[in-house]
Amino acid sequence: KQAEIFAALREAYGIPRDDTLQLKDFPTLNHAVGFVKDRTPQSVPADTADAAVSESTRATPELDESANPEVAGLEAANQVPRRVPTAVWRPSLDLFRTTGVELPQGSRVVVMPDHGGVAEALTKRLDKRGVEVLPIDPALEFNVLEKQLLDWVAAGPITGVYWLPALDAHAPLEEMDRKTWQEAVRVRVKLLHTTMRALHEQLDGPENFLVAATRQGGKHGYDEDGAQNPIGGGVSGFVKAYKREQPDALCKVIDFAMSRKTAALADRIIDETLRDPGAVEIGYPDEQRWAIGLDIVPCNGSTTGIELDQDTVFLVTGAAGSIVSAIIADLAAASGGTFHLLDLTPEPDRNDPDIERFATDKEALKRDIFERIKSGGQRATPAMVEKKLAGLERAQAALAAIEAVERSGGTAVYHCVNLTDDEAISAVMDEVRNSHGKLDVLIHAGGLEISRFLADKPREEFERVFDVKCDGWHSLFNAMGDMPLKAAVVFSSVAGRFGNGGQIDYSAANDLLCKSISGMRTTRPGTLGIAIDWTAWGGIGMATRGSIPTMMKAAGIDMLPPEAGVPTVRRELTQGPVVGEIVVAERLGILTEEIASDGGLDPDAIQLADRGPMLGKVTGMGLYSGLTVETELDPAKQAFLYDHQIDGTPVLPGVMGLEGFAELATLLLPDWRVQTVEDIRFMEPFKFYRGEPRKLKLTAQINAEGEQLIARCSLISERHLKGKSEPAISTAFRADVRLSRQTPEAVKGDKPVDASGVILEANDVYKVYFHGPAYQVLGSAWGDGPGTVIGRLADELPANHDPEDLPTKMSPRLIELCFQTAGMFELGVDDRFGLPSRISRVQKLRDVSPGDQPLYSVVRHSSSGTGYDADVIDKEGEVYIRLTDYRTAELPGAASTLKTGPIKAVFRAD
């Protein structure tokens, strides 16, 4: 925020950039005013400079300003990636680099304890290392704790902080009274602010740390059961934001499942302190480690949500913000329902001419307000004018929401209320209960955002930002009691998901709300819970002011178009799939940059002794890119390339792409087997131009699905083109590899039918196909009636790869046998020629052993009518490979130019 202020000041007053300027030398508004006075060619009145600064730093309601856009369709909203936070598998700690934290003898560590014994076990382990433990008493008042911490600092350096109270369970939100709730938040979150603010200057190096622990289920609530003990979300949001402010320090929040374990958890907390610098959020639902990444789950247009109509009762907080006002208008147009609108802004006077002038002639209104202040005997300043305008702005947005509801035929009931006032919220809920007996949709959009780094953020300000969102949320739920609720929506932020410097309170509050929505899967399973992590909006709202758009662009983050943002709430309420929390943003820029470029993985610790031919150098384990490997392939050495050329250019066979995916998915999971490869897409050919060696990149992001793992794999092409500064990057292949610990069950089909008529020999096949000896896998083929083609695997094929003893996971040339047999079917029966495009599923059911020959592929049309199913079987009918719905992309006109006469003669014979 300070950087934004100075950028705005330089722009407003024409001050040249000074690279030697240190922002820490300008800690107050008076310093900023002096900066303007000293560096502008002509003297500027002090009140003008004050106004410029106060406008940028004032406490601004979270969703604010601007005009109400028209209700948009869902097309623009569906163009924005629908990102879903998800738990991603992370390898064991021994495969990661050390963090830089050593916990040497004589070091001093602060410990905030839990009540379950983990802190006691941790203290014993630290004592054995010779580490001095400085325990915090959770009962201390804020000022007393701060003094104690400063005394500890004065006595010597402090290495780090272990924060453990969020390991303690708490009651469901709606079952906690106000006092119980506030104490739970005070101990877990607010004392954390006091502690880290006091120690901020101590903990800024790579040897320093903040490690917190929570008990939300082991995956931070990103699983089917949702978050347990969601106040822990306030801790995780704090830690993520703290990492943004102290990027050199180690910051982690480790989530555990509910258990009575103490020693095992203490060991893991220490181990996480010492290894893996590449992730902030780590989880242990069991023995496996997990981190939090992102998945893209498009809206599927289903009707799994709720129906919005005239009987729908809404309650919306923050209703006088311009963005919220626009969303209310959209929901009103879709439903015509009843809206209870809550905001601290007084109910707008419909006859106030200033409200109308704010929307139509703001500049003239500003001059009039200035003159009114003067005529009242006060010294008019721009700051006073802006304060008056801010109130009119919210009044105009509130009135716009009310009128939009009324235009839709609905009913608007406005409540001027402070969200932190329990009694006032209870009165509103009683009115809703008495009037309707139900609440269909609760939208909690109210909040404050005051950007200031932790060192400059006093407790009162932290609590003000945090309490409006979180105390308000508790008050709403506590007052609602057992009243029926169909859906709850909370407005969160990318700051809650990723953390953001200067927004440590905002991040903590938003992440607590997200975890509370997640926890409703258990506490309110009949209520649809939605948390929306908004990015900054463009064209409407607070972020359109000043230098913010410029800074967003520099950070690689796109502003959200209103036509995409406004209907998003309606879409999430009415259409599926239900996912809980979504990130609504286009490019996320620096927010999704990895903490460590390689994810913290130690490539030297990874054993590649049993690697296959598609795995080269392990390059990282990113939160968003997953496990990555770079492999250089040389067509002069690899038969699968020099025997797979199109028009003289070697092309990577699709089957070797599948092989690469299977090898990568199991690289760090040797006890797991490939059960299936699914949703396979061959998107563009990977070519080796001029026959030269080329690198490819394989990536795998591994998630859980029940008892299985799903590795979402991609094969990435990167080319440096002449005259281009940036490489051209594209995805050549992609697929999902399903992993299981179970050995697949044997499948047996019909024995292959020997040829009884005309046989298609290999000589005629490879007059059409371009393959060389290693990929001339089809020895012969014949028909078995009008709907089946059988191909026989060629004998004594040359080696597929070099070195030839490298093992394969998927028997790629058996899959290629299916491709080529299906190709004969396609040419001979369907009279078309195509290249592999997609496959619904590939299963490997048996390994090939010496003596298994002969092997056959049996191909039939799939149920889709446009693809093919295929089995590779032996003479007894045992199935080795099964393909489901293999499809090709037709090359128009190609079939007529090929030598297909012998093929048609076989497969069209009576």
Side-chain angles (χ1 to χ4, degrees), residues 668-687:
L668 304 181
L669 291 160
D671 297 332
W672 293 69
R673 288 184 58 103
V674 176
Q675 185 182 53
T676 58
V677 185
E678 303 170 356
D679 193 20
I680 303 154
R681 298 172 187 264
F682 304 109
M683 303 163 77
E684 63 178 50
F686 190 97
K687 299 180 179 181

Side-chain angles (χ1 to χ4, degrees), residues 112 114 129 139 258 291 307 320 403 424 500 503 542 733 786 821 839 849 856 862 906:
M112 176 64 160
D114 63 321
R129 288 174 165 266
M258 296 299 297
E307 184 178 353
E403 292 177 340
N500 195 30
Q503 294 184 315
M542 174 183 82
F733 308 156
T821 306
I839 314 172
S849 302
Y856 307 86
S862 64
V906 171

Side-chain angles (χ1 to χ4, degrees), residues 429-505:
M429 280 295 182
D430 286 344
E431 182 177 338
V432 172
R433 184 181 292 105
N434 294 334
S435 299
H436 315 288
K438 65 170 184 173
L439 177 59
D440 294 306
V441 180
L442 169 62
I443 300 177
H444 185 37
L448 292 174
E449 191 282 314
I450 309 174
S451 291
R452 206 189 312 267
F453 286 119
L454 177 61
D456 303 317
K457 186 174 286 292
R459 177 169 62 87
E460 295 76 12
E461 184 175 289
F462 180 94
E463 291 188 350
R464 185 181 177 198
V465 172
F466 185 89
D467 289 351
V468 169
K469 276 186 168 288
C470 296
D471 278 9
W473 178 244
H474 172 262
S475 295
L476 290 165
F477 256 74
N478 192 256
M480 185 168 50
D482 59 359
M483 186 163 52
L485 179 67
K486 289 184 180 179
V489 183
V490 297
F491 280 20
S492 178
S493 163
V494 291
R497 170 81 302 273
F498 304 105
N500 195 30
Q503 294 184 315
I504 210 156
D505 39 15

Side-chain angles (χ1 to χ4, degrees), residues 62-66 321-328 397 491 534 537 540-542 566:
E62 174 189 350
L63 296 170
D64 199 14
E65 341 233 339
S66 232
S322 61
I323 291 172
V324 184
S325 176
I327 290 170
I328 291 168
F491 280 20
W534 299 107
W537 286 50
I540 180 174
M542 174 183 82
V566 168

Side-chain angles (χ1 to χ4, degrees), residues 527-603:
T527 299
L528 172 63
I530 301 167
I532 302 178
D533 300 326
W534 299 107
T535 187
W537 286 50
I540 180 174
M542 174 183 82
T544 59
R545 285 184 170 181
S547 62
I548 294 177
T550 300
M551 296 190 69
M552 295 277 288
K553 183 178 180 181
I557 303 172
D558 291 327
M559 307 284 277
L560 181 68
E563 61 271 19
V566 168
T568 294
V569 175
R570 171 165 49 91
R571 181 192 69 185
E572 294 303 313
L573 285 169
T574 60
Q575 299 187 5
V578 177
V579 292
E581 181 181 347
I582 62 169
V583 178
V584 179
E586 294 181 311
R587 291 187 308 150
L588 286 166
I590 61 172
L591 294 177
T592 51
E593 287 182 359
E594 300 290 346
I595 299 171
S597 59
D598 57 5
L601 202 65
D602 180 4

Side-chain angles (χ1 to χ4, degrees), residues 326-404:
I327 290 170
I328 291 168
D330 178 79
L331 293 170
S335 68
T338 298
F339 287 77
H340 288 266
L341 306 178
L342 281 62
D343 201 279
L344 188 59
T345 297
E347 183 170 359
D349 180 356
R350 296 172 188 258
N351 299 316
D352 186 345
D354 284 352
I355 294 178
E356 181 178 352
R357 290 184 67 197
F358 180 87
T360 59
D361 194 3
K362 183 177 178 180
E363 290 304 314
L365 175 62
K366 185 184 296 187
R367 291 191 295 270
D368 284 355
I369 292 173
F370 188 86
E371 293 300 324
R372 290 177 206 168
I373 296 172
K374 286 176 59 179
S375 64
Q378 299 183 64
R379 180 172 176 268
T381 67
M384 295 173 67
V385 174
E386 287 298 326
K387 183 177 180 180
K388 178 65 175 175
L389 284 175
L392 288 171
E393 190 169 28
R394 294 193 68 80
Q396 191 270 334
L399 182 57
I402 293 169
E403 292 177 340

